[in-house]
């Protein structure tokens, strides 16, 4: 049988050649060779300064002038440094000897001032003075405590108990007695025979309500001043 040949063979070859990258070649890439005239010269990479101008910022340089006839140069006065030093030594205050501390029999000594034996720290101006950051922190703590106390007092005022007025006390007593009379009338109307469970439960509920009302009426009549708390 004949070998199979695809009809797209020529098209594939054309596309492969067309899409081939320029840098994917056999051998070195074609790069432009630099000209031999562009060689590196001496001092070519150093920064070039601008040429100096004779006139800078619009100011002209003063021309050279010749000294006048009346000009007399200042002559240097000779000084006697030996006498000057002698006078300075005679009039100067004598140097005070530096205090030393000797700690061995052989006479080993060291300066007394940096040894820590001299009480320099307690002679400072700010010795014993409370630092500023401590004072500032104490003020902040005190202010926070005052704010907390004010907040607590405000909450206590909101939750403070109120006194019941005489008019409200009288109205409550009237309402409790009226409620007691209504429940007592219903209790008196119960049948004598409680043979069912419902009758027993209803009778017990009325008795509990009557006892609670009697307790509340006695408590209000016994105490003249009654306080109510906002829960």
């Amino acid at each position: 049988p004949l070998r199979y040949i695809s009809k797209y063979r020529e098209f594939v070859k054309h596309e492969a050649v067309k899409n081939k990258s320029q840098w994917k070649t056999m051998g070195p890439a074609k790069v432009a060779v630099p000209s031999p005239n562009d060689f590196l010269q001496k001092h070519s990479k150093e920064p070039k300064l601008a040429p100096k101008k004779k006139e800078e910022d619009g100011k002209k340089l003063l021309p050279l002038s010749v000294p006048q006839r009346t000009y007399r140069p200042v002559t240097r006065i000779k000084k006697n440094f030996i006498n000057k030093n002698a006078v300075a030594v005679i009039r100067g205050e004598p140097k005070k000897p530096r205090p030393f501390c000797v700690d061995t029999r052989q006479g080993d000594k060291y300066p007394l001032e940096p040894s820590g034996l001299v009480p320099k720290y307690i002679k400072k101006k700010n010795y014993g003075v409370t630092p500023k950051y401590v004072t500032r922190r104490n003020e902040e703590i005190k202010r926070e405590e005052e704010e907390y106390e004010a907040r607590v007092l405000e909450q206590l005022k909101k939750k403070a108990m109120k006194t019941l007025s005489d008019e409200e006390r009288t109205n409550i007593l009237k309402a409790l007695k009226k409620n007691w009379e209504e429940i007592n009338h219903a209790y008196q109307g119960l049948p004598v025979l409680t043979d069912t469970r419902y009758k027993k439960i209803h009778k017990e509920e009325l008795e509990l309500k009557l006892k609670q009302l009697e307790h509340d009426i006695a408590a209000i009549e016994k105490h003249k001043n009654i306080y109510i708390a906002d829960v």
Side-chain angles (χ1 to χ4, degrees):
L2 297 175
R3 188 180 63 173
Y4 172 76
I5 299 174
S6 176
K7 62 180 180 179
Y8 299 105
R9 183 176 182 181
E10 299 297 331
F11 177 74
V12 172
K13 286 183 179 181
H14 177 69
E15 289 294 326
V17 174
K18 181 181 178 181
N19 298 329
K20 192 174 183 181
S21 302
Q22 296 181 359
W23 57 84
K24 293 183 179 180
T25 59
M26 296 293 291
K30 295 181 180 180
V31 183
V33 181
S35 176
N37 296 327
D38 299 336
F39 58 90
L40 183 63
Q41 298 180 0
K42 189 177 182 180
H43 304 293
S44 61
K45 293 187 177 182
E46 294 180 359
K48 296 181 180 180
L49 301 175
K52 294 183 180 179
K53 296 182 180 180
K54 295 183 179 179
E55 297 180 2
E56 295 180 2
D57 300 333
K59 296 181 180 180
K60 294 184 179 180
L61 298 175
L62 298 176
L64 298 175
S65 59
V66 180
Q68 300 179 0
R69 293 182 179 180
T70 57
Y71 174 74
R72 294 290 183 272
V74 179
T75 56
R76 182 178 292 182
I77 301 173
K78 293 183 179 180
K79 294 182 179 180
N80 191 350
F81 293 99
I82 297 175
N83 294 338
K84 184 180 178 181
N85 294 338
V87 171
V89 171
I90 293 169
R91 293 182 178 179
E93 296 181 358
K95 291 184 179 181
K96 296 181 179 180
R98 293 182 61 188
F100 287 94
C101 178
V102 181
D103 58 352
T104 60
R105 291 183 297 175
Q106 287 76 16
D108 297 335
K109 59 182 180 179
Y110 53 88
L112 183 63
E113 185 176 357
S115 65
L117 300 175
V118 181
K120 295 172 62 177
Y121 183 75
I122 60 176
K123 293 183 180 180
K124 290 184 177 181
K125 294 181 179 180
N126 56 352
Y127 178 75
V129 180
T130 306
K132 293 182 179 179
Y133 75 93
V134 176
T135 306
R136 184 169 60 254
R137 185 178 61 185
N138 292 338
E139 292 177 355
E140 292 177 357
I141 294 172
K142 186 177 180 181
R143 184 172 62 254
E144 290 177 358
E145 290 179 352
E146 291 176 353
E147 292 176 357
Y148 175 75
E149 291 178 357
R151 199 182 310 113
V152 170
L153 288 174
E154 186 177 357
Q155 292 179 358
L156 290 175
K157 287 180 180 178
K158 290 181 180 179
K159 296 180 180 180
M161 293 187 294
K162 298 179 181 179
T163 308
L164 195 66
S165 62
D166 294 338
E167 184 179 357
E168 292 175 348
R169 179 173 174 272
T170 305
N171 294 334
I172 290 172
L173 272 174
K174 288 181 180 179
L176 289 174
K177 288 180 179 180
K178 184 179 179 181
N179 194 8
W180 184 87
E181 290 176 358
E182 292 176 356
I183 295 173
N184 187 34
H185 180 71
Y187 182 77
Q188 295 295 333
L190 290 174
V192 179
L193 183 62
T194 55
D195 53 350
T196 61
R197 187 177 176 218
Y198 172 75
K199 291 179 181 181
K200 291 180 180 179
I201 294 173
H202 186 55
K203 184 179 180 181
E204 291 176 357
E205 289 179 354
L206 293 176
E207 289 176 353
L208 287 174
K209 289 181 180 180
L210 288 173
K211 287 182 180 179
Q212 184 64 38
L213 287 170
E214 290 172 359
H215 178 269
D216 295 342
I217 291 169
I220 293 175
E221 288 179 347
K222 184 179 180 181
H223 301 92
K224 188 177 182 180
N225 297 326
I226 300 173
Y227 298 94
I228 301 174
D230 295 335
V231 180

